[in-house]
Amino acid sequence: MQTLFSSALFGSSYAQASSTLSMLEPTRTRGNKTRIAFGSCNRQTEKQPLWEQIVALQPDLWVWGGDAVYADATSRLEMYLKYRLQYFHPEYRRFLNSGIPIVGVWDDHDFGKNDSGSDYALKDYAQKVYLDFLGEPDHSPRRQQGGIYASYTVGPLGRQTKVILLDVRYHQVDDDILGDQQWNWLWSELESSQADVNLIVSGLQIIPDSARKEKWANFGDSRSKLLNMIWRTKAKGVVLISGDRHFAEISSLPFGEHHLVEITSSGMTHVR
């Protein structure tokens, strides 16, 4: 398979997934602790000073939570050139050279069209260029399926964190945000998880309902289905991660005897 970006430039910085569930070895030494950094909404035409600070934290994993590139496009060439601009951004290149593994999932702008879903004409090309941008290997299941949902497990045995990446764009239609295949996959990932912490990453906010435009609350049936799935599978230590809003916040929802927590990290290059 021909990729749009040279894999040689990535080296070992990117998580190489041989299956939907892939084990990532911690790259930093800090006892039994695992450090995961995440963010979203990164405009390729802007200065990107946060990468230096992220490298200084030495996380074991970086997670893109959506809008890694503002690649809104009506043609393949336009989309490719926007991804290329981010790929060769000097501040981002220094981050790539740090050796920190990178995984991620898109939201609407790196999918290619604002507020778009399954009817976006370039979605299959967008899947290719996004996975090329991440350095996803040719044999990755993410290249064989419709959509880029995936999961990764990181950390030492007995203190593992599972990162579950939801694709809220490729199959989105009417009141269904994930599609049957992804719903079935998500159930299996949660039910079978042996991790102590399960991070569910979504480009759109799940708990908050204050956004004027897009949010899981606009897809009421899907939101209820997701929360019910988390409850019924009894996956341990579920924390929600989201982006999109161009600001950061922590939200919580009463959930049995505890609270379900969502952390929104957004606006790496710009705020509201």
Side-chain angles (χ1 to χ4, degrees), residues 26-220:
T27 57
R28 316 290 176 241
T29 301
R30 57 175 67 91
N32 289 326
K33 296 181 180 179
T34 299
R35 179 175 294 164
I36 296 175
F38 52 91
S40 66
C41 301
N42 181 77
R43 201 181 297 276
Q44 68 273 13
T45 55
E46 303 285 347
K47 293 182 179 179
Q48 299 179 16
L50 290 180
W51 293 120
E52 182 178 355
Q53 298 177 47
I54 293 167
V55 170
L57 291 172
Q58 290 292 284
D60 295 295
L61 183 68
W62 168 259
V63 181
W64 281 115
D67 296 338
V69 181
Y70 279 68
D72 302 72
T74 57
S75 72
R76 293 185 174 193
L77 178 59
E78 182 184 10
M79 181 180 292
Y80 165 73
L81 290 175
K82 290 180 176 180
Y83 267 95
R84 188 178 188 277
L85 188 61
Q86 174 59 31
Y87 179 75
F88 286 105
H89 193 292
E91 290 164 302
Y92 187 59
R93 286 291 300 278
R94 286 193 287 271
F95 172 70
L96 293 180
N97 291 334
S98 71
I100 297 169
I102 302 172
V103 300
V105 73
W106 57 27
D107 192 25
D108 53 347
H109 293 293
D110 36 4
F111 184 58
K113 184 179 179 181
N114 188 44
D115 297 350
S116 55
S118 63
D119 59 349
Y120 179 50
L122 295 177
K123 68 178 184 180
D124 290 322
Y125 180 76
Q127 179 165 343
K128 171 178 170 53
V129 72
Y130 185 88
L131 295 177
D132 286 351
F133 175 73
L134 288 187
E136 197 79 19
D138 291 352
H139 58 266
S140 168
R142 302 180 86 184
R143 293 190 182 275
Q144 313 304 320
Q145 65 190 24
I148 61 170
Y149 55 90
S151 74
Y152 301 84
T153 301
V154 62
L157 290 174
R159 298 180 66 89
Q160 291 182 342
T161 299
K162 189 172 190 177
V163 180
I164 300 173
L165 306 172
L166 300 184
D167 184 337
V168 299
R169 295 296 168 184
Y170 191 96
H171 296 286
Q172 183 192 126
V173 58
D174 299 326
D175 196 37
D176 188 355
I177 200 168
L178 297 185
D180 289 343
Q181 183 174 350
Q182 189 174 181
W183 281 118
N184 292 336
W185 168 85
L186 178 58
W187 175 275
S188 177
E189 291 293 319
L190 289 171
E191 187 180 43
S192 64
S193 178
Q194 300 299 309
D196 301 278
V197 176
N198 289 276
L199 302 181
I200 299 178
V201 183
S202 164
L204 295 179
Q205 287 188 312
I206 298 169
I207 292 177
D209 58 7
S210 60
R212 288 177 295 175
K213 292 187 177 181
E214 290 195 300
K215 53 188 177 292
W216 274 74
N218 293 351
F219 303 84

